[in-house]
Amino acid sequence: MAKYNTLLYYCYSTIADAEQFAADHLKFCKSLDLAGRIIVANEGLNGTVSGSPEACRAYMDALHADPRFANIDFKVDEVDVPSFVKMHVRYKSEIVHSGLRDPHIINPEKQTGKHLEANEFLAMKDADDVVILDVRSNYEHNLGKFKNAITLDIENFRDFPSKINELSQYKDKKIITYCTGGIKCEKASALLLHEGFSDVYQLHGGIIKYGKDAGGEDFDGKCYVFDNRLSVEVNSVNPVVISTCFNCGKTTPKMINCANPECNEHFTQCDECGEKMDGCCSDACKEHPRKRVYDGTGYYVKIPQPVNASKKTKALSE
């Protein structure tokens, strides 16, 4: 039996007084001795939490008992150690930052692409009239992506709307969007529909659920995750490594954050270069006076420094 579980989930569901909900939810998570990161907004929840199997089960049961969150599809990973060291619950304007805040234009509760289960995705993905669209950031799809997927040059999901025009050539195709757990696709597919793409789908549960349900077939490389694991294996059917070391170009699946906190770049680096560069992306970062101690993992706990935040929001970052 797994010593710990890690839960990945999201839910678009209106939360009244979401800022107060966030404060209360932080206390609840701490009462279960969970660690993780949860974003709360008026539009819903986006979270990854980790703890004992019993605590995770109690957490899932509690959310499913709330009518607002009854349909949450939790992705559960068994892990040897917790995937976080602290518990954070933060109130924000969106549960995934997109800049698409007008509910009259984008509202995942009312309209998104058609959800495809793993077997449906497998049946469709290689057809001539289908385009598979990765809506994640560069550092994510550089580490791993579906074979033949279209990727976009974006640093953050909020850049996605500005790239819509680059996809106009595919308006007569079936578009299948995918991301890590499905949350970005809810807004990406809704925006595509708003912009005149008529046949839009999304991979339900994202890469993580697809790996569990279909063995990750034809997903090349590893999947970036937003916790101290940094990446996870997805494909147990026909796995390959596609990422290369930022410094030397050698094939490597290892993703790290630069040891210089003022850079904190996400990049792939082989162990040999990791030792040579002390976990940094460049010589300048290696010599930086604030460089963190590299322990071989390339994961660092962030120290939140809220700016112009309310007292309640500051309390949520403890």
Side-chain angles (χ1 to χ4, degrees), residues 55-172:
C56 287
R57 172 48 59 191
Y59 182 78
M60 290 188 287
D61 288 346
L63 262 65
H64 279 153
D66 187 321
R68 295 171 295 181
F69 315 128
N71 294 323
I72 290 180
D73 183 11
F74 287 97
K75 275 74 74 175
V76 183
D77 277 346
E78 297 181 348
V79 294
D80 294 327
V81 295
S83 299
F84 295 88
V85 296
K86 297 181 74 175
M87 187 70 232
H88 301 279
V89 181
R90 295 191 176 94
Y91 170 75
K92 294 189 177 183
S93 59
E94 297 180 272
I95 56 176
V96 59
H97 186 27
S98 67
L100 304 172
R101 301 179 191 175
D102 186 342
H104 300 292
I105 297 176
I106 304 298
N107 187 342
E109 288 191 71
K110 293 184 177 179
Q111 184 183 45
T112 64
K114 304 166 191 144
H115 287 223
L116 295 177
E117 299 302 327
N119 62 324
E120 296 172 310
F121 177 79
L122 273 170
M124 282 183 63
K125 69 182 184 64
D126 295 323
D128 292 338
D129 62 342
V130 169
V131 171
I132 302 174
L133 176 63
D134 192 319
V135 301
R136 301 172 302 152
S137 303
N138 290 333
Y139 63 88
E140 297 175 85
H141 61 68
N142 285 341
L143 182 66
K145 64 185 183 69
F146 280 106
K147 290 185 193 303
N148 303 317
I150 300 297
T151 59
L152 301 172
D153 182 14
I154 57 177
E155 294 299 321
N156 297 282
F157 183 61
R158 62 177 174 268
D159 299 329
F160 177 78
S162 67
K163 297 292 182 177
I164 291 290
N165 288 340
E166 296 180 12
L167 303 172
S168 59
Q169 60 186 302
Y170 305 120
K171 278 198 171 181
D172 62 341

Side-chain angles (χ1 to χ4, degrees), residues 6 17-18 28 36 45 49 65 69 73-74 82 96 113 121 136 140 167 185 201 203 237 248 251 269 278 284 296 314:
T6 294
D17 196 2
F28 173 62
L45 299 174
V49 298
F69 315 128
D73 183 11
F74 287 97
V96 59
F121 177 79
R136 301 172 302 152
E140 297 175 85
L167 303 172
C185 289
Y201 303 78
L203 178 58
V237 178
C248 73
T251 300
Q269 186 179 65
D278 211 13
K314 288 181 180 180

Side-chain angles (χ1 to χ4, degrees), residues 16 40 43 45 47 94 138 142 175 221 258 298 310:
V40 179
E43 65 182 5
L45 299 174
E94 297 180 272
N138 290 333
N142 285 341
I175 307 290
C258 183
S310 67

Side-chain angles (χ1 to χ4, degrees), residues 207-219:
I207 300 162
I208 299 299
K209 182 173 173 60
Y210 177 78
K212 297 178 183 304
D213 293 349
E217 183 177 346
D218 288 341
F219 185 84

